[in-house]
Amino acid sequence: MTTAALWTTVLVASLACFALKLAGHLVPRSWLASERVSRVTSLVTVALLVSLVVVQGFADGRTLAVDARVPALAVAALALALRAPFILVVFLAAATAAGLRALGWG
């Protein structure tokens, strides 16, 4: 890819993001006030977060990867289920992944 094509792609993507953000600000408040829209937006947020966790936790490029991230996610899920503070959840998951990698797994 040439430098000009790269910068063109970056600028077009930036303009598309800006247009999408602007469109969100131009939506009338009455459309956003309904119960249905509120439910859908909360579900979309959860779905996007779950998909991000799955892709980052179980994928390595284009392949499925089972490495130290999987038990770290399990430890984080358990800590969240036990209502641990978020910083502790992050620390436990990171310590699990680091410990397993130090032992040579993943």
Side-chain angles (χ1 to χ4, degrees), residues 52-63:
L52 177 65
V53 168
V54 168
V55 167
Q56 292 297 314
F58 298 101
D60 186 19
R62 296 184 140 233
T63 61

Side-chain angles (χ1 to χ4, degrees), residues 24 27-29 31-50:
V27 172
R29 288 190 187 267
W31 290 7
L32 302 174
S34 75
E35 176 71 24
R36 183 177 181 190
V37 171
S38 178
R39 265 195 329 261
V40 168
T41 55
S42 65
L43 293 175
V44 166
T45 304
V46 171
L48 287 173
L49 182 59
V50 168

Side-chain angles (χ1 to χ4, degrees), residues 75 84 90-91 94:
V75 167
V90 172
F91 178 78

Side-chain angles (χ1 to χ4, degrees), residues 82-105:
L82 295 174
R83 300 204 180 260
F86 185 71
I87 190 70
L88 182 61
V89 172
V90 172
F91 178 78
L92 290 172
T96 302
L100 289 172
R101 287 183 175 143
L103 293 173
W105 191 41

